[in-house]
Amino acid sequence: MKSLALLFGASLASSQYVPIPWSYVQKEPPVEITVNAHTRFQTMMGGGCSGAFGVACDQTGASGLSPANQDLVTQTLFDENLGGLSILRNRIGSSPTDGILGSCPSTPSSHFNYTWFPNASTADSCQYKLTQTALKYNPDLFIYADAWSASGCFKTDATDINGGLICGVRGSNCTHDWRQGYADYLVQYVKFYEERGIKVSMLGAYNEPDFNPVTYASMESDGYQAKDFLEVLYPTVKKAYPDLKVSCCDATGARQERNILYELGSAGGDKLYDVATWHNYQSNPERPFNTAGQPNLQTEWADGSGPWNDTWDTTGQLAEGLQWAMYMHNAFVNSDTSGYLHWWCSQNGSGDGVLIRLDNDSFDVSRRLWAFAGYFRFARPGSVRIDAKASVENVYVSAFENKNGTIAVPVINEAHFEYDLDINLIGTKAKKVSAYLADNTHNNSLVGHYAVHGSSFKASVPPRSMTTFYLE
Ligand SMILES: *[C@@H]1O[C@H](CO)[C@@H](O)[C@H](O)[C@H]1NC(C)=O
Ligand SMILES: *[C@@H]1O[C@H](CO)[C@@H](O)[C@H](O)[C@H]1NC(C)=O
Ligand SMILES: *[C@@H]1O[C@H](CO)[C@@H](O)[C@H](O)[C@H]1NC(C)=O
Ligand SMILES: *[C@@H]1O[C@H](CO)[C@@H](O)[C@H](O)[C@H]1NC(C)=O
Ligand SMILES: *[C@@H]1O[C@H](CO)[C@@H](O)[C@H](O)[C@H]1NC(C)=O
Ligand SMILES: *[C@@H]1O[C@H](CO)[C@@H](O)[C@H](O)[C@H]1NC(C)=O
Ligand SMILES: *[C@@H]1O[C@H](CO)[C@@H](O)[C@H](O)[C@H]1NC(C)=O
Ligand SMILES: *[C@@H]1O[C@H](CO)[C@@H](O)[C@H](O)[C@H]1NC(C)=O
């Protein structure tokens, strides 16, 4: 008490504002958290980002990043003990210069002259280089190869930009049906990677088919039209690569994706994809997805309009780490989402579409990455989300059991004060707990160890933070 009185006395005497350390503030009662491994939900796929549209060239040295820092940036993102990302979303090019078909065959039965020069300096060769480096730091890297459009010659608008439909789907009205041609094109892209020893794990034919930008690769599709194409693509993929997953449809928002899935299902196509992929731009994942049992994955989001921001929590805007932790929580818990991808990985520039900003040979890591790490360093691909509940609304808790029985319990404290936690464990054999903290001054760093007594342990979480408890 004496030291407290001195503290207040000093602050009053000098008429200066002295923030009261949160440890002296009257505390709320402890939050009861219950983790129950008997109640199980979705299997996790991981977190990731993309080097599409040539930005992978910056990460592979085109704007002054030295070879040592190229490795360090990629390691920071993809190493299990750093950023913990495990998914790389590569764009399959669609123009005569960035795609694999320099010129169009005259009919669907003509020869398709595919070419790919990964050693040339094209956008795709940079993605290839980035893929190789990411594999160095995560040998189990999950590569999602996704097309924004079919080649112009397969489409109603005869160009890979400006929307348009795949010739052959309902409403398309073209001389030829190019659906098989486009399906073969996508599979050929996977073959080019395979020939170089790289396994592509998931293939997508669409990017934001509910949106029609004039200036870059794009193609429209509703769910009915997706059925007409996927009924060609899906068997083509499974014949060539039984394990290669097929995605649909990278819609602009969760609600937009649900609309497409509804139409696809109505048309009889609900078994023609393996993963429902969606972006978080236009609408949030407030409820489960209407898949036929397939997992869903958030495959692109960023604060596209804003300037670079690397903060954890200053004003609670989209750009900040704490907000991303909560967005991910909502997706995992409310929509059973299996993973979450940021838009770009890194770029030399001043925008906020990236996790790491490059500036010639220096780089700055956004604390958004530590929100990803709080989940994906510890809830590894193949882990299963298990039930977790907190007794108050402003503590967000989720839990994930890895294949070997270790458990990750990310706890976000949204309150502006510290909370004590009583964490009760059901159905686990955990004995030892390590806590990793992300907040304004910690980058997902190890801050403490706890022992499990019986089947519970006590801990505390600082204000506006994310603490991941890792249980062994
Ligand atoms: C990289 O970023 C720096 C700082 O924003 C800028 O001066 C430089 O021109 C950029 N380099 C390239 C190749 O874009
Ligand atoms: C195939 O494409 C390559 C590169 O685009 C070109 O150099 C070659 O001449 C083409 N071959 C044929 C038979 O058209
Ligand atoms: C790039 O690789 C291709 C084979 O994949 C080869 O034919 C071509 O000569 C190479 N180009 C350069 C510039 O090394
Ligand atoms: C389909 O194309 C033909 C020939 O270009 C045209 O006459 C016809 O009006 C088109 N139909 C529709 C529904 O667009
Ligand atoms: C990040 O964004 C917040 C909220 O807009 C702002 O207060 C903060 O100054 C920004 N930080 C940087 C480094 O831009
Ligand atoms: C970029 O970095 C290199 C190596 O550190 C240096 O030689 C060059 O002057 C830098 N360029 C700019 C524009 O800062
Ligand atoms: C955390 O990362 C930021 C960059 O995002 C860096 O400026 C800061 O020094 C790091 N802090 C610690 C404690 O590592
Ligand atoms: C259990 O699995 C996790 C996730 O793959 C891994 O990080 C950890 O080292 C494993 N622990 C043991 C004891 O094998």
Side-chain angles (χ1 to χ4, degrees):
M1 281 318 286
K2 192 161 176 249
S3 63
L4 256 185
L6 279 175
L7 179 74
F8 288 125
S11 82
L12 290 172
S14 63
S15 314
Q16 280 172 348
Y17 172 68
V18 175
I20 301 169
W22 45 259
S23 54
Y24 293 130
V25 175
Q26 176 66 46
K27 275 194 185 163
E28 297 285 318
V31 177
E32 294 292 324
I33 287 181
T34 305
V35 174
N36 183 350
H38 295 313
T39 308
R40 305 173 81 78
F41 303 97
Q42 76 271 25
T43 298
M44 300 306 287
M45 298 175 71
C49 57
S50 177
F53 290 102
V55 314
C57 296
D58 289 346
Q59 196 167 330
T60 54
S63 305
L65 196 66
S66 62
N69 280 342
Q70 291 167 37
D71 269 52
L72 193 52
V73 165
T74 305
Q75 180 177 16
T76 302
L77 293 164
F78 291 99
D79 192 309
E80 176 173 356
N81 297 311
L82 294 168
L85 301 183
S86 60
I87 302 177
L88 182 62
R89 179 169 175 243
N90 285 344
R91 171 174 168 253
I92 302 174
S94 46
S95 79
T97 50
D98 70 15
I100 57 172
L101 202 52
S103 57
C104 276
S106 48
T107 71
S109 51
S110 310
H111 176 64
F112 283 57
N113 179 24
Y114 296 117
T115 50
W116 190 52
F117 298 108
N119 51 359
S121 71
T122 62
D124 199 51
S125 69
C126 295
Q127 292 185 132
Y128 175 68
K129 254 176 98 174
L130 173 56
T131 303
Q132 289 175 306
T133 313
L135 277 164
K136 224 160 80 178
Y137 296 106
N138 185 336
D140 301 322
L141 189 71
F142 182 101
I143 298 161
Y144 175 25
D146 190 22
W148 263 240
S149 172
S151 303
C153 49
F154 302 156
K155 287 172 64 190
T156 52
D157 63 339
T159 159
D160 71 327
I161 63 170
N162 203 14
L165 303 169
I166 302 167
C167 286
V169 304
R170 64 195 74 183
S172 63
N173 193 20
C174 308
T175 311
H176 296 291
D177 179 348
W178 286 100
R179 288 177 297 166
Q180 188 64 55
Y182 181 36
D184 291 343
Y185 180 100
L186 295 172
V187 168
Q188 179 59 46
Y189 180 92
V190 173
K191 282 190 181 141
F192 279 135
Y193 270 76
E194 184 193 35
E195 282 164 13
R196 287 156 185 87
I198 295 178
K199 180 187 165 208
V200 172
S201 298
M202 185 161 78
L203 184 61
Y206 300 103
N207 173 71
E208 303 183 353
D210 55 318
F211 175 61
N212 177 13
V214 175
T215 54
Y216 62 89
S218 63
M219 182 171 75
E220 290 156 292
S221 179
D222 62 22
Y224 301 104
Q225 291 158 335
K227 150 74 166 59
D228 295 341
F229 178 60
L230 291 174
E231 72 188 7
V232 176
L233 177 66
Y234 198 79
T236 303
V237 166
K238 296 298 163 177
K239 189 169 168 221
Y241 298 102
D243 295 337
L244 177 59
K245 293 184 193 317
V246 174
S247 71
C248 180
C249 287
D250 283 81
T252 56
R255 181 163 51 75
Q256 288 73 11
E257 176 74 11
R258 283 197 296 270
N259 286 340
I260 292 181
L261 294 176
Y262 172 80
E263 294 169 350
L264 181 58
S266 307
D270 63 5
K271 296 286 185 210
L272 297 177
Y273 68 96
D274 300 306
V275 180
T277 46
W278 55 279
H279 301 175
N280 209 148
Y281 293 107
Q282 297 262 56
S283 52
N284 285 325
E286 289 153 349
R287 57 183 67 86
F289 279 83
N290 47 339
T291 65
Q294 295 96 327
N296 78 83
L297 185 68
Q298 196 288 125
T299 48
E300 184 186 321
W301 200 29
D303 178 17
S305 56
W308 171 242
N309 192 313
D310 67 3
T311 59
W312 175 260
D313 180 52
T314 50
T315 60
Q317 300 299 307
L318 168 62
E320 300 187 314
L322 178 68
Q323 301 304 310
W324 278 72
M326 292 193 280
Y327 281 119
M328 284 190 251
H329 169 93
N330 288 338
F332 301 152
V333 170
N334 299 337
S335 301
D336 290 340
T337 297
S338 288
Y340 215 84
L341 277 63
H342 197 269
W343 173 212
W344 280 322
C345 302
S346 79
Q347 184 181 25
N348 187 79
S350 54
D352 204 39
V354 299
L355 283 168
I356 299 185
R357 180 190 179 180
L358 311 178
D359 182 2
N360 199 17
D361 193 25
S362 61
F363 65 90
D364 181 26
V365 179
S366 165
R367 285 171 177 81
R368 283 188 295 272
L369 182 64
W370 308 125
F372 280 84
Y375 288 104
F376 298 114
R377 272 183 70 183
F378 309 102
R380 300 299 295 166
S383 62
V384 172
R385 187 171 73 82
I386 57 179
D387 195 42
K389 288 192 169 60
S391 59
V392 296
E393 251 176 31
N394 50 7
V395 168
Y396 296 56
V397 58
S398 55
F400 307 86
E401 186 178 272
N402 285 305
K403 289 180 189 160
N404 61 12
T406 55
I407 290 178
V409 184
V411 177
I412 301 162
N413 180 8
E414 192 194 6
H416 291 263
F417 47 83
E418 184 193 31
Y419 263 125
D420 287 337
L421 310 176
D422 280 343
I423 303 182
N424 303 298
L425 308 170
I426 300 171
T428 86
K429 297 195 184 84
K431 288 279 161 275
K432 200 174 89 181
V433 181
S434 312
Y436 295 82
L437 175 64
D439 65 4
N440 278 330
T441 52
H442 296 83
N443 298 341
N444 193 245
S445 36
L446 181 62
V447 290
H449 293 287
Y450 304 88
V452 178
H453 298 292
S455 58
S456 68
F457 67 98
K458 292 182 192 305
S460 62
V461 284
R464 310 291 282 173
S465 67
M466 176 185 201
T467 306
T468 305
F469 297 100
Y470 185 64
L471 282 53
E472 294 167 273

